[in-house]
Amino acid sequence: MTDAPAAPVFRMEDLVALCRRRGFVFQSSEIYGGINGFWDYGPLGTALKRNLKDAWWRDMVACPPDGPDGRPLSIVGLDSTIIANPKVWEASGHVGGFNDPMVDCRESKARYRADHLMVLVGADDDGSRRMVGFLEGDDAGREKAGKSLAKYEKREFDPANYAIRPFTQLAATDLSRVLGPDAKEPGSLTEPRMFNLMFESHAGAIRDEDSKVYLRPETAQGIFVNFQNVLDSTRVRVPFGIAQIGKAFRNEVTPRNFTFRSREFEQMEIEFFIRPDEAETWYPFWRDLRHAWWRSIGLTGENLVLREHDRDELAHYAKEGAGTCDIEYRFPFTAPGFGELEGVAHRSDFDLKRHAEFTGKGEKSRYFDQERNERYFPHVIEPSAGADRGTLAVLCEAYTPDDSRPSGVVMKFHPRLAPVKAGIFPLVNKDGMPEVAEKLHRELRVKYACEFDPKQSIGKRYARMDEAGAPYCFTIDSDTLADQTVTVRERDTLSQERISIDRVATYLAERIDG
RNA sequence: GCGGGUGUAGCUCAAUUGGUAGAGCGUCAGCCUUCCAAGCUGAAUGUUGAGGGUUCGAGUCCCUUCACCCGCUCCA
């Protein structure tokens, strides 16, 4: 990464402005002032995102490549609900994990997880002595706290004279005598406050604790809880995958960076179930396949990277395993750093085991492998991609300022993802040309998203198609009427060539369908 | 959640010490137009982000709030 090229040479606000101007992305409920962390897709953005999801579904579910064993992957689809029995989230660990109390320091503006915060206090504390905070596991911080306390009390520091207590066990009245880890005066720490990262609602008319439900924070659990249903209803056997595209919700503390960190977002997830001893084969397979897929839909530049996680940043379900990696993109707002598009994780058998435990089915729910004549909880390789983040990366990759063009900018989408595949124009809006163009449009629109536009000058129409990212334009002129040929204008090169009008559909098929 | 900045037509921006909210571009309609936002004529468009206050009078001053941007923080 040392000689990585410079970040994209455009300002994010220019892309945001284009997205709004051309109808890719709008702020949610904008006429009421918007709402933080929520975004709507306009006509072009909807088409773009749909094309991305369709490409994923086709390449991963309908027509996946061969696996490492040389046989086609077996992957089936699922569409589970956003709201489920709340026990799902107790089993998955989200109810606990999403409720971390946080402590803010008014003086240093730092924020700490309350359960990571400890205080050093005199062992013979009588309720009036100063306490000094430090972070659990931070030996240097703890030493510093000791020195600070000894200096304050003007005596030698002897660990035997001090006790360590969790911050969470302090009474509210004690806070005024606690010195924060990064503070100079005591009393700057707030009481622990809950940051509930799962959205809550209520199912049914009565709004009480029993009716409380959660909007799912990931689509994955819908797959795990349907694992047995899919096995029983579908002729699949390990190794196989279950795929799902759907909305998920996280009450992010700080939504930021356009659609990158939204509170409502869409995931494209596969849980691929494997034999426990084959993770070392399947994990690198999926990692490389997913990396290659993002490249195949147009993220071909240096801004796409694959990054293996360090051991200490792994999630609770992946501590032991074949590995976890992020597929990351260098967005203008992360540059020179990167932002995550997709995580590929070996989740081990964590989730299936947890649901076996929480449903009380236990070992009985183990999978029976007929070929091996043995029972086990399958392990899982999870490629989990963000549809909105992917769409945003595609928008960033496509955005190409070009002062030599009238539009000033061109969106160079991969033809497969382009929301409009072609513009179809009569060179002038008379002499029979619009009729021919409209007929061509009617034929092409059956298979490809095309725009017929007879108005204004040809230059304006090309410029508009540049901003919409249409890879091709077909123009009918007076020669068309004589020899049945049209001009193809290519978006990226601005080249023009003439082809027969009855070859237009084939021309598009060769370039869009591969 | 903290600090800083921004907010006027779809976009870019004007609007004197507080004194009738405007222009260009784009959009739309018509004319014209034989290949890259050409030209002519005309049209639509705003509770100046929202709410409150001061004032005879607020885009302008004050308060509150919302959204976006930058920096922290957070991201199981």
Side-chain angles (χ1 to χ4, degrees), chain A residues 426-460:
Chain A
L427 185 56
V428 292
N429 197 16
K430 62 177 185 181
D431 298 340
M433 296 178 208
E435 290 78 3
V436 175
E438 197 165 2
K439 178 167 176 287
L440 179 61
H441 175 241
R442 282 177 179 279
E443 290 166 8
L444 292 179
R445 65 184 293 195
V446 174
K447 193 163 180 197
Y448 301 105
C450 296
E451 280 198 9
F452 169 67
D453 187 356
K455 299 293 182 65
Q456 300 179 310
S457 73
I458 192 72
K460 282 193 183 187

Side-chain angles (χ1 to χ4, degrees), chain A residues 479-493:
Chain A
D479 290 345
T480 308
L481 307 175
D483 65 7
Q484 301 295 303
T485 62
V486 299
T487 302
V488 188
R489 181 258 197 188
E490 212 274 331
R491 177 194 66 200
D492 296 347
T493 63

Side-chain angles (χ1 to χ4, degrees), chain A residues 274-285 321-322 346 379-381:
Chain A
I274 59 171
R275 289 166 172 158
D277 56 355
E278 293 184 343
E280 299 294 341
T281 302
W282 284 103
Y283 168 70
F285 170 80
H346 174 206
H379 277 224
V380 169
I381 306 296

Side-chain angles (χ1 to χ4, degrees), chain A residues 20-132:
Chain A
R20 168 173 172 63
R21 190 167 73 244
R22 288 300 174 195
F24 283 101
V25 178
F26 306 127
Q27 206 179 352
S28 171
S29 45
E30 186 192 78
I31 62 171
Y32 288 106
I35 178 168
N36 196 358
F38 297 87
W39 300 88
D40 293 339
Y41 288 87
L44 286 182
T46 304
L48 178 66
K49 184 176 164 186
R50 176 167 294 280
N51 289 345
L52 182 78
K53 291 190 289 182
D54 286 350
W56 184 89
W57 192 266
R58 166 159 287 279
D59 295 344
M60 295 296 123
V61 185
C63 189
D66 290 348
D69 53 6
R71 293 185 302 188
L73 296 177
S74 168
I75 303 184
V76 295
L78 183 76
D79 189 349
S80 66
T81 56
I82 286 168
I83 291 173
N85 189 310
K87 290 194 179 105
V88 169
W89 308 112
E90 291 169 25
S92 70
H94 288 83
V95 170
F98 270 65
N99 287 287
D100 296 328
M102 306 295 293
V103 174
D104 286 319
C105 176
R106 297 189 195 91
E107 183 192 317
S108 68
K109 309 304 180 194
R111 169 174 288 172
Y112 315 97
R113 269 179 64 166
D115 57 331
H116 287 179
L117 205 52
M118 311 301 272
V119 295
L120 194 64
V121 63
D124 53 347
D125 178 42
D126 58 359
S128 65
R129 291 172 62 181
R130 172 174 285 199
M131 298 187 266
V132 179

Side-chain angles (χ1 to χ4, degrees), chain A residues 187-204:
Chain A
S188 66
L189 296 182
T190 64
E191 282 187 60
R193 288 180 286 204
M194 299 295 262
F195 284 82
N196 203 332
L197 291 181
M198 273 203 292
F199 280 93
E200 293 176 6
S201 187
H202 292 268

Side-chain angles (χ1 to χ4, degrees), chain A residues 280-301:
Chain A
E280 299 294 341
T281 302
W282 284 103
Y283 168 70
F285 170 80
W286 274 107
R287 178 194 61 201
D288 297 342
L289 178 64
R290 293 303 307 151
H291 186 213
W293 185 82
W294 285 108
R295 296 178 65 83
S296 78
I297 52 100
L299 303 184
T300 55

Side-chain angles (χ1 to χ4, degrees), chain A residues 292-329:
Chain A
W293 185 82
W294 285 108
R295 296 178 65 83
S296 78
I297 52 100
L299 303 184
T300 55
E302 301 292 327
N303 289 326
L304 187 76
V305 296
L306 183 67
R307 188 177 68 82
E308 291 277 357
H309 278 208
D310 297 329
R311 222 10 97 164
D312 59 2
E313 60 177 315
L314 294 184
H316 59 82
Y317 50 73
K319 286 294 182 197
E320 306 295 327
T324 297
C325 69
D326 282 346
I327 297 167
E328 301 183 326
Y329 186 79

